[in-house]
Amino acid sequence: GGLFASSWVLYIVSENNDSRFCINLDAGSKIKDHSVPCNETSALVAATENASNFLLAHYESLAANMAGSLEVTFQVDSSCLASWLNPNYCHKQIMLRNASIRIHTICHDLTKDFPISITMSHIEGLRNCADLNSKIGVNADPIQTTNSSLWRHGLPDFCLDEYPPEKDVFLSYHHG
């Protein structure tokens, strides 16, 4: 999210034998009249809703090609948002409280009903692919941005065995 917009991007990493490939699955953004932290929160709500919709619509075909459980990672570059997702955090703003409840509910329900594990982790702002879609003025050429390897395939790190790094993980969901 940025000053004028909230944005999210979904990548899917597939593995075949010993090689992994990452591709942009879906993305979206909305112009919002909120603070940057509220836009960041709105982006995570949209990301969890859209990821959930995709997983529910395509779970059978995904599961047929998986050896184990499906691993889903949501990344945020806002330490404020990371702290707001603490289930014990006492929210002062209704919008942020409702967003936090929505995110927790979606993640809880997905991991309760399917063999899916969900991880929330922090990523540096300069490495956040979703910012390519929300930082108005920074990425002035939308054609160049959408054709870039970063936008189409995400960070090379997405294909690493141990991603995200454990030190960046702040919340996990397993078995509801």
Side-chain angles (χ1 to χ4, degrees):
L3 185 58
F4 303 107
S6 66
S7 67
W8 52 271
V9 60
L10 300 177
Y11 291 94
I12 189 164
V13 178
S14 66
E15 185 172 357
N16 187 5
N17 299 326
D18 290 332
S19 79
R20 289 187 179 150
F21 185 76
C22 180
I23 192 161
N24 183 323
L25 186 64
D26 198 7
S29 67
K30 288 191 177 182
I31 302 298
K32 301 257 185 184
D33 187 25
H34 296 304
S35 65
V36 172
C38 287
N39 280 340
E40 298 276 354
T41 306
S42 295
L44 185 57
V45 170
T48 55
E49 289 175 343
N50 283 282
S52 174
N53 290 338
F54 175 82
L55 291 170
L56 293 173
H58 301 284
Y59 185 78
E60 286 183 24
S61 59
L62 289 169
N65 295 301
M66 292 186 321
S69 68
L70 183 64
E71 297 175 21
V72 176
T73 300
F74 293 101
Q75 296 190 293
V76 300
D77 62 6
S78 167
S79 56
C80 292
L81 176 52
S83 67
W84 291 334
L85 289 172
N86 179 337
N88 297 318
Y89 185 85
C90 183
H91 293 276
K92 294 176 177 72
Q93 292 183 14
I94 299 298
M95 180 195 138
L96 297 176
R97 181 183 69 85
N98 289 346
S100 179
I101 290 169
R102 179 77 177 134
I103 292 164
H104 286 298
T105 301
I106 290 169
C107 293
H108 175 270
D109 290 349
L110 278 175
T111 59
K112 178 182 65 131
D113 296 334
F114 301 97
I116 296 174
S117 64
I118 298 176
T119 302
M120 300 275 182
S121 70
H122 186 267
I123 187 168
E124 296 173 55
L126 294 173
R127 293 171 42 86
N128 187 350
C129 298
D131 281 353
L132 294 172
N133 203 23
S134 64
K135 302 293 186 194
I136 298 172
V138 173
N139 303 303
D141 185 353
I143 303 300
Q144 183 179 4
T145 299
T146 55
N147 286 326
S148 71
S149 179
L150 181 60
W151 181 254
R152 289 180 178 236
H153 303 288
L155 296 171
D157 295 2
F158 291 172
C159 292
L160 296 176
D161 284 339
E162 298 299 321
Y163 192 82
E166 195 64 35
K167 67 178 181 57
D168 295 336
V169 173
F170 61 87
L171 188 61
S172 296
Y173 300 86
H174 306 279
H175 312 293

